[in-house]
C-alpha cells in the first residue's frame, strides 16, 4: 500500500456516509441514541470523525439501526471503517507533526501553499529546518533532529510516490532574506528551490520582500482530493493543531486569496531568474 494512502481521508468519508444514511433513515441523533443505548457523545464522535479508530461492530450496529440491508452498501461502509483504522506513517512522528494535516496532505491530488515567513516545509533543506527549529526555541539536539527527520520523511513520501500531487507554492521572499547571515544555508536552500522548480508537477513563485500583498493574515494550505466525494480542505496554521475549513464558501474565499497572491508574486520563470541572481 502506498505511504500516501490516508486513513484520515477515509475517516472523514466514513463520517459523511454515516450522516447521509442517518438522514436517509429520517432519524435524529436522539433517535439513534435511544435505539443503540449509546451516549450522545459517543455517537457524535463517530459521526464527526473524532473517534480515531471506530470499531467495525459499532458501524455494523449503526447500519442495522438505519435499516441498511443492501449487501454492497454495507460492505462499502464497513470497508471504509476498516481503512480508517489503519495507521499512517506519520503516527510515528505525532510528537512533531500534525497528524490530521499530514493525513489530509497524504492523499491530496492538488495542493496550494502560501507561506508568509518561512520556506514551505515540503521545500526545506535539512539545514534550514534545523535552523528555524532552533529559532523556535527548541534547544535539545535530539528534539531538533526529530523535527528534521520528520520533515525529510514527509518530503520523501510526497515526492517519491509514483503519482505525486500537483503543488503550487507561493511564499514571501523575506523567508530567504532572513538567511543572509547564514550564507551556506541560503545557498543550499536556493539550490533546492531551483531543482524543485524543474519538476513539472511543482510551481514556485516568490513575492518580492518589498512588495505589498494580501497574505499578511498568515499561511494557509488548500488541498483538493482525487475522489469527488472528498471535499476540499483549507488548513490554517496555528500554535496548536491548526484550523480546518471545509465549507464551500470558505474554501472559495481562500482560492480567491491564493489567486491574488499569485498575481502579486513574480511569475514562475521570473522566480527562477531571481533565485539564480540571489546566488551570485
Amino acid at each position: 500500500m502506498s505511504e500516501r494512502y490516508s486513513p484520515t481521508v477515509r475517516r472523514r468519508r466514513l463520517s459523511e456516509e454515516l450522516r447521509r444514511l442517518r438522514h436517509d433513515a429520517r432519524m435524529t441523533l436522539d433517535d439513534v441514541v435511544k435505539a443503540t443505548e449509546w451516549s450522545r457523545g459517543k455517537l457524535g464522535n463517530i459521526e464527526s470523525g473524532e473517534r480515531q479508530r471506530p470499531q467495525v461492530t459499532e458501524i455494523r450496529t449503526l447500519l442495522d439501526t438505519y435499516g441498511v440491508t443492501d449487501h454492497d452498501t454495507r460492505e462499502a461502509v464497513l470497508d471504509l471503517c476498516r481503512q480508517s483504522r489503519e495507521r499512517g506513517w506519520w503516527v510515528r512522528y505525532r510528537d512533531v507533526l500534525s497528524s490530521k494535516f499530514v493525513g489530509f496532505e497524504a492523499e491530496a491530488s492538488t495542493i496550494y501553499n502560501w507561506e508568509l515567513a518561512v520556506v514551505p516545509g515540503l521545500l526545506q533543506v535539512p539545514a534550514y529546518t534545523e535552523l528555524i527549529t532552533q529559532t523556535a526555541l527548541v534547544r535539545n539536539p535530539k528534539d531538533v533532529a526529530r523535527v528534521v527527520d520528520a520533515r525529510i520523511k514527509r518530503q520523501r513520501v510526497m515526492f517519491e510516490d509514483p503519482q505525486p500531487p500537483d503543488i503550487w507554492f507561493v511564499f514571501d521572499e523575506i523567508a530567504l532574506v532572513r538567511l543572509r547571515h547564514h550564507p551556506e544555508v541560503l545557498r543550499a536552500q536556493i539550490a533546492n528551490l531551483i531543482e524543485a522548480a524543474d519538476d513539472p508537477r511543482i510551481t514556485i513563485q516568490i513575492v518580492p520582500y518589498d512588495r505589498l500583498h494580501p497574505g499578511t493574515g498568515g499561511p494557509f494550505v488548500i488541498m483538493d482530493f482525487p475522489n469527488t466525494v472528498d471535499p476540499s480542505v483549507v488548513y490554517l496554521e496555528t500554535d496548536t493543531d491548526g484550523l480546518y475549513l471545509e465549507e464551500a464558501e470558505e474554501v472559495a474565499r481562500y482560492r480567491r486569496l491564493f489567486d491574488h497572491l499569485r498575481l502579486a508574486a513574480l511569475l514562475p520563470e521570473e522566480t527562477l531568474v531571481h533565485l539564480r541572481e540571489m546566488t551570485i
Side-chain angles (χ1 to χ4, degrees):
M1 183 179 294
S2 169
E3 289 185 288
R4 291 194 63 232
Y5 172 89
S6 177
T8 304
V9 174
R10 299 304 194 280
R11 191 177 305 121
R12 183 174 65 152
R13 195 182 301 169
L14 174 64
S15 297
E16 290 287 338
E17 188 66 12
L18 291 175
R19 282 194 294 269
R20 184 188 68 79
L21 291 172
R22 177 170 61 80
H23 292 154
D24 288 350
R26 300 178 182 273
M27 298 182 73
T28 65
L29 288 174
D30 288 334
D31 292 334
V32 181
V33 166
K34 183 176 180 180
T36 59
E37 297 186 345
W38 291 351
S39 69
R40 188 182 179 91
K42 174 180 177 177
L43 178 61
N45 286 338
I46 291 175
E47 272 207 8
S48 66
E50 291 300 317
R51 194 179 184 91
Q52 295 298 299
R53 305 189 75 204
Q55 300 293 323
V56 172
T57 54
E58 294 171 333
I59 304 306
R60 189 174 285 118
T61 296
L62 289 178
L63 294 175
D64 292 341
T65 302
Y66 301 152
V68 180
T69 58
D70 179 75
H71 177 268
D72 290 344
T73 300
R74 289 179 67 91
E75 284 305 306
V77 175
L78 292 175
D79 280 345
L80 276 178
C81 177
R82 296 182 185 103
Q83 292 164 2
S84 73
R85 290 175 52 79
E86 300 289 338
R87 293 187 182 276
W89 65 264
W90 51 88
V91 171
R92 299 192 298 274
Y93 296 97
R94 57 188 168 193
D95 55 323
V96 293
L97 282 178
S98 165
S99 293
K100 188 172 184 180
F101 170 71
V102 180
F104 280 129
E105 179 187 73
E107 205 162 315
S109 56
T110 310
I111 299 173
Y112 304 92
N113 185 187
W114 158 249
E115 289 291 348
L116 176 61
V118 298
V119 174
L122 288 172
L123 296 176
Q124 293 175 10
V125 294
Y128 179 86
T129 302
E130 180 177 351
L131 181 63
I132 63 170
T133 301
Q134 293 170 337
T135 303
L137 305 181
V138 179
R139 301 303 187 200
N140 188 312
K142 290 184 178 179
D143 293 337
V144 174
R146 179 80 171 153
V147 174
V148 174
D149 288 346
R151 190 65 49 84
I152 292 172
K153 173 68 173 181
R154 179 179 160 217
Q155 294 170 352
R156 186 188 68 78
V157 169
M158 183 63 67
F159 296 126
E160 293 183 7
D161 189 86
Q163 293 184 311
D166 291 314
I167 312 180
W168 200 305
F169 298 101
V170 182
F171 66 97
D172 196 314
E173 184 188 14
I174 197 67
L176 296 175
V177 172
R178 290 190 175 118
L179 291 176
R180 286 179 174 168
H181 295 297
H182 305 274
E184 292 185 3
V185 178
L186 178 60
R187 283 194 293 271
Q189 185 58 72
I190 290 177
N192 190 64
L193 292 171
I194 292 173
E195 181 180 355
D198 284 336
D199 189 321
R201 301 184 74 100
I202 294 177
T203 303
I204 300 174
Q205 289 184 258
I206 290 177
V207 179
Y209 72 91
D210 58 353
R211 186 174 295 181
L212 294 175
H213 59 75
T216 55
F220 62 88
V221 182
I222 306 170
M223 291 173 278
D224 300 328
F225 302 93
N227 196 318
T228 56
V229 303
D230 298 318
S232 300
V233 175
V234 175
Y235 168 75
L236 305 179
E237 186 175 341
T238 69
D239 290 336
T240 55
D241 188 41
L243 299 175
Y244 300 85
L245 309 178
E246 299 181 40
E247 294 296 327
E249 296 80 5
E250 295 174 321
V251 175
R253 180 161 62 90
Y254 278 91
R255 288 195 196 280
R256 289 192 296 271
L257 177 55
F258 194 81
D259 286 341
H260 283 291
L261 288 165
R262 289 193 293 192
L263 291 173
L266 298 174
L267 294 172
E269 55 270 26
E270 293 173 335
T271 293
L272 270 177
V273 171
H274 188 63
L275 286 170
R276 293 189 177 104
E277 290 174 347
M278 290 181 71
T279 62
I280 298 176

